[in-house]
Amino acid sequence: EGLRVPSAFTLGQGILYTSFGFETVSDGEPLALGGYYTDEAGKKVGIDNSAASSSFSAFISYGALDYLELGMFLPVHYDGDVGETDLEGTALGDFQFYVKGSIPTPIPVQLGGSLELYAPSGSESSGFRPRHVWYIHGDKESYAYTASTWSMAVNFYATLYNFSLVHWNNYIGFLKSMSNKDITMLWGTGLYFFPNKILSPSLELSGETRLSSKEISLAPLYDPLRFTPGFRLHLPRQTDLSVGVDIGLGFVKKFKERRGLPVTRETEDQSIEYRVAGQPKFGVTVSINHTFEFSWKDFDH
């Protein structure tokens, strides 16, 4: 039920869950800290504050068994006109496949774990804003829509619940990309109120933190970190609408340009450099979700 923080629960056997989403971070701020990038000649080229940066996504998961779930996620990204580069455009992101298991306990706590595999299906020639911190390779070329190689993650989940009042989801994971020496910690915690009611508000805190960075003491502050209030509206016929507002740390804390994440990109005719905030100040995410039941169990016996 999480917007950004997954639950430890899995789908029941025979349940097929689909979701189509849209998110944007076009918040009136330039996509690079300082509002410019530097070309090969050392010239600073300004970036339009209104340059859009958005993503569309398709997600599907299936309950193969009561406590075993399989899923796939495919994003499509868009970045608007950025300076004098040819990086604007719409293109695929990295395809994600996962296997997730859950473990019920005698107390109101659900435990779970997952193995995720990311295929380098994203475009290397489009995009300006890196969608994940593991796409950034320091002084080597980075990409906006892809890690450019295979990545793998292991995640652990714990959900504390009172079915009628609140769910408290927590997760931590560790991701390694073959093209990046850093290990990235994926983490989040979220509260979901009245999960079985028509309207279910939520509060989440989540992020991506580099663990082997030379600046590990500063990584928690300057790597992706977002606070996400939102809600899920349960509609008829097993359909619901999810809406969340991502608030980055830059909303309350001014980022020093030198502390931004360094990005080097190769365009058609030159190499450019710039720094980005781990998380934009403000963003919006919306998804429409629908559930299908294909179980062969006799639920009412």
Side-chain angles (χ1 to χ4, degrees):
E1 68 267 1
L3 301 175
R4 297 293 189 187
V5 182
S7 165
F9 289 97
T10 51
L11 298 172
Q13 179 275 316
I15 303 300
L16 180 69
Y17 180 84
T18 59
S19 177
F20 298 93
F22 169 77
E23 61 181 271
T24 182
V25 297
S26 182
D27 57 357
E29 295 287 334
L31 300 182
L33 290 176
Y36 67 90
Y37 64 81
T38 304
D39 63 18
E40 286 184 338
K43 175 186 174 183
K44 294 183 178 179
V45 180
I47 298 174
D48 187 350
N49 284 10
S50 63
S53 184
S54 307
S55 296
F56 305 88
S57 62
F59 173 78
I60 184 170
S61 58
Y62 178 71
L65 301 171
D66 278 340
Y67 301 109
L68 181 67
E69 177 182 319
L70 309 176
M72 297 179 292
F73 177 82
L74 181 64
V76 177
H77 304 302
Y78 168 75
D79 278 352
D81 186 19
V82 181
E84 301 172 3
T85 73
D86 57 345
L87 298 176
E88 72 276 2
T90 303
L92 284 176
D94 282 355
F95 175 82
Q96 176 190 355
F97 172 78
Y98 75 88
V99 179
K100 180 181 179 182
S102 65
I103 304 172
T105 68
I107 58 177
V109 176
Q110 189 87 359
L111 303 177
S114 69
L115 179 65
E116 299 180 354
L117 186 65
Y118 297 79
S121 57
S123 170
E124 296 183 356
S125 59
S126 299
F128 188 84
R129 178 178 66 89
R131 294 311 198 264
H132 295 288
V133 70
W134 62 88
Y135 292 1
I136 300 174
H137 305 151
D139 56 354
K140 297 188 296 183
E141 184 178 7
S142 301
Y143 305 100
Y145 297 168
T146 180
S148 76
T149 189
W150 292 86
S151 303
M152 181 177 290
V154 177
N155 300 298
F156 304 94
Y157 310 93
T159 295
L160 286 71
Y161 60 91
N162 177 308
F163 275 112
S164 61
L165 294 179
V166 66
H167 282 188
W168 180 21
N169 290 348
N170 300 273
Y171 91 104
I172 186 170
F174 302 93
L175 181 144
K176 180 68 174 68
S177 174
M178 293 177 62
S179 64
N180 198 324
K181 64 180 180 180
D182 288 349
I183 294 176
T184 302
M185 181 174 69
L186 314 174
W187 60 271
T189 184
L191 290 170
Y192 310 90
F193 306 97
F194 315 115
N196 297 322
K197 301 299 182 182
I198 293 177
L199 184 66
S200 304
S202 61
L203 296 172
E204 296 179 328
L205 183 67
S206 60
E208 303 168 359
T209 305
R210 295 165 296 165
L211 296 182
S212 56
S213 169
K214 295 179 181 179
E215 297 181 299
I216 191 170
S217 61
L218 296 173
L221 291 178
Y222 292 96
D223 283 357
L225 174 66
R226 60 194 168 219
F227 172 63
T228 309
F231 66 86
R232 184 176 291 255
L233 178 63
H234 299 281
L235 303 172
R237 299 187 179 183
Q238 301 189 89
T239 301
D240 53 46
L241 173 71
S242 300
V243 178
V245 177
D246 291 325
I247 302 173
L249 193 62
F251 188 78
V252 295
K253 173 184 174 63
K254 183 175 177 58
F255 275 101
K256 296 179 181 179
E257 188 178 329
R258 63 186 177 87
R259 294 298 186 189
L261 305 176
V263 179
T264 301
R265 293 297 311 276
E266 298 291 336
T267 66
E268 282 188 351
D269 55 0
Q270 66 174 327
S271 174
I272 64 173
E273 296 180 354
Y274 52 96
R275 290 180 177 266
V276 296
Q279 180 70 26
K281 291 182 179 179
F282 180 78
V284 176
T285 177
V286 180
S287 68
I288 187 75
N289 320 292
H290 185 73
T291 301
F292 302 88
E293 292 190 17
F294 299 106
S295 177
W296 57 80
K297 291 187 175 181
D298 180 12
F299 284 106
D300 62 5
H301 308 286

